[in-house]
Amino acid sequence: MMHKSLGLLNQLSSIYKCCVCSVGSSGNICSNTLLRSRTTQVNYILWNRWVSHAYHDIQVADKPLTKILKIAIIGTPNSGKSTFINQIVGRRVFAISSKVHTTRARARAVINLDDTQIVFLDTPGVVTQTESQKHNLEASFLRDGEIAISEANVVAVIHDVGNRFTRGCLDPKVLRLLHLYPYKHSVLVLNKVDMVKKKRYLLELSDRLTCKRLSSPEKSHREDRTKLSEEEVMKEVKKQSGWSNFCQVFMVSALEGSGVGEVMEYFLQYARPGQWMYPETVYTDQKPERVICEAVKSRLLENLPNEIPYNCETQIEMFNELRDETIMAVVLITCPSTRIEKLIMRKIRTIAQESEAELRNTFMTQVVLKLVLQTVEK
């Protein structure tokens, strides 16, 4: 296509020829051209500009078009956000466990399908100030969800229907975020539907959580809604148990992978023309060292009781990638007391083996991991 475009441009530019060398120009007009009058000078200047812009447009048109879509994934702790993203990406990009707050900070997962790049903005479960202090969470927990939504093209709310105590309404903290950005294209993903025996109940739940209506993506973007103040938002949240501006509802089991493909097909419809944010080989914006630490942390959460693992810190001591692509790493686990150190020591082999298995799924290569314990008291 490029050589045909250039041929057309050369034909057009040959209309003007230099009166000295009689050679047409596909860039600037030949410098030997004799500009005898003011009118001729102006015409030549305009012609040069037109040719320059036409040449640039042809270059852009001949490049392969790419699309981009940014999706914010929000929800309460342990609703299955990271599991949902891992299923779509096809590898364990984010650490998961059965305990809350396994995801400690906002991170991105990337998947490329043909000409489209989809960037998932995974966020920690929305929490209050009290919950943040209880679990020794980073300050970013309180603002990461809001930052992700402001950046995203589409917002997906992951709602845990397996929890019979909370499934009847959207969490007030989630509703707050939706009210702060009412113009965003949002969808509701009912997760863990495999845990609901009466499937008919899912339809009733869907009606309740959407206030028995769905909005259109075009309407959500076009309507000029005034942004509410924090006080006004909280008043609205107290009145509602659902969100009336969802554009679609999906029922999935992220752990089993059922229904996830349908969600992905829906997302692809709303990709926009634009440059990719990351190279084709990138699947997350996290550094390998952080991925390793998060994997070990998740295994601590899974294997230790109560609040114990939340008080332990993980840190990379050594990271090395060998020629055969094998990854070798040493992770230092800092314990708050010798009692907890002894408790972890009993399960250190299991924690290391499970961490290695997770990391092999993440990096798609062999991983050799060594865990080292130390105590703050020492």
Side-chain angles (χ1 to χ4, degrees):
M1 183 181 288
M2 181 61 117
H3 71 277
K4 291 181 181 178
S5 302
L6 288 177
L8 176 61
L9 185 58
N10 286 331
Q11 283 182 348
L12 292 171
S13 63
S14 65
I15 295 172
Y16 282 98
K17 292 181 182 288
C18 173
C19 62
V20 175
C21 61
S22 298
V23 176
S25 171
S26 62
N28 292 325
I29 299 302
C30 176
S31 60
N32 291 328
T33 301
L34 301 178
L35 304 178
R36 302 179 188 276
S37 67
R38 179 70 177 171
T39 302
T40 307
Q41 292 179 18
V42 171
N43 288 339
Y44 275 179
I45 291 171
L46 293 175
W47 170 252
N48 281 330
R49 288 179 180 174
W50 185 89
V51 170
S52 177
H53 286 304
Y55 186 74
H56 173 73
D57 291 341
I58 288 171
Q59 284 183 312
V60 172
D62 284 340
K63 290 181 179 178
L65 295 176
T66 56
K67 298 178 182 178
I68 184 82
L69 180 66
K70 291 179 283 186
I71 303 171
I73 306 295
I74 65 171
T76 55
N78 213 32
S79 59
K81 300 182 296 299
S82 296
T83 305
F84 175 76
I85 296 175
N86 288 343
Q87 279 287 0
I88 289 181
V89 177
R91 63 170 82 200
R92 190 160 292 196
V93 178
F94 301 120
I96 58 175
S97 79
S98 59
K99 285 193 174 70
V100 297
H101 306 309
T102 303
T103 300
R104 307 285 295 189
R106 181 166 47 98
R108 294 172 175 176
V110 183
I111 183 172
N112 304 315
L113 298 172
D114 297 326
D115 61 346
T116 303
Q117 182 172 91
I118 298 183
V119 180
F120 291 95
L121 311 172
D122 189 27
T123 61
V126 287
V127 297
T128 62
Q129 184 72 46
T130 303
E131 291 170 324
S132 178
Q133 293 173 352
K134 177 183 176 181
H135 293 282
N136 191 30
L137 305 178
E138 291 80 356
S140 61
F141 263 67
L142 299 174
R143 62 176 184 271
D144 278 348
E146 194 170 333
I147 294 172
I149 291 180
S150 65
E151 185 181 349
N153 308 118
V154 176
V155 178
V157 175
I158 308 297
H159 186 69
D160 180 5
V161 298
N163 188 331
R164 60 189 181 89
F165 298 106
T166 60
R167 63 189 178 191
C169 60
L170 292 178
D171 189 275
K173 298 182 289 296
V174 172
L175 279 172
R176 170 186 171 273
L177 291 175
L178 292 172
H179 276 286
L180 287 174
Y181 296 90
Y183 53 86
K184 288 286 184 177
H185 178 172
S186 59
V187 299
L188 175 63
V189 180
L190 302 180
N191 189 27
K192 306 182 185 179
V193 295
D194 54 301
M195 298 177 67
V196 179
K197 294 181 179 180
K198 296 180 180 179
K199 302 305 178 185
R200 185 178 176 180
Y201 174 72
L202 292 174
L203 297 177
E204 299 174 3
L205 188 61
S206 176
D207 283 343
R208 189 185 311 166
L209 298 179
T210 61
C211 303
K212 295 186 177 182
R213 57 164 289 185
L214 291 176
S215 181
S216 67
E218 294 76 16
K219 186 178 179 181
S220 64
H221 283 295
R222 288 177 185 173
E223 285 190 4
D224 183 21
R225 296 188 179 94
T226 304
K227 192 170 183 179
L228 301 176
S229 67
E230 191 70 42
E231 185 177 350
E232 290 172 326
V233 165
M234 296 314 296
K235 287 182 180 179
E236 290 295 321
V237 168
K238 289 179 181 179
K239 300 176 186 176
Q240 301 173 2
S241 61
W243 179 243
S244 61
N245 291 325
F246 283 125
C247 300
Q248 191 57 271
V249 180
F250 298 96
M251 301 182 187
V252 308
S253 172
L255 190 61
E256 296 180 353
S258 62
V260 174
E262 296 174 10
V263 185
M264 192 62 177
E265 288 179 12
Y266 178 86
F267 286 155
L268 285 170
Q269 299 178 66
Y270 299 98
R272 304 174 179 179
Q275 292 184 342
W276 285 8
M277 294 177 63
Y278 301 97
E280 191 171 356
T281 55
V282 172
Y283 54 86
T284 182
D285 65 339
Q286 303 172 95
K287 293 183 179 180
E289 293 87 345
R290 178 185 168 188
V291 172
I292 293 171
C293 283
E294 292 298 315
V296 174
K297 189 80 173 182
S298 74
R299 294 307 91 197
L300 289 171
L301 287 167
E302 196 66 32
N303 286 280
L304 298 177
N306 304 324
E307 309 298 317
I308 290 175
Y310 295 103
N311 298 316
C312 297
E313 299 295 331
T314 56
Q315 179 182 345
I316 282 284
E317 285 286 284
M318 187 273 286
F319 175 84
N320 191 18
E321 189 171 356
L322 305 182
R323 290 183 179 179
D324 64 352
E325 297 185 352
T326 296
I327 292 175
M328 300 189 68
V330 177
V331 176
L332 178 65
I333 302 174
T334 304
C335 310
S337 66
T338 54
R339 181 183 66 84
I340 293 177
E341 181 182 7
K342 291 177 181 178
L343 181 61
I344 295 176
M345 183 60 70
R346 295 174 194 160
K347 299 186 177 183
I348 194 73
R349 184 183 294 275
T350 300
I351 294 171
Q353 289 174 346
E354 290 181 0
S355 299
E356 284 183 347
E358 279 201 9
L359 293 170
R360 282 195 295 270
N361 182 280
T362 301
F363 297 117
M364 299 296 183
T365 189
Q366 184 63 29
V367 177
V368 179
L369 183 65
K370 182 180 179 181
L371 304 181
V372 179
L373 298 176
Q374 75 169 14
T375 307
V376 175
E377 294 175 355
K378 296 179 180 179

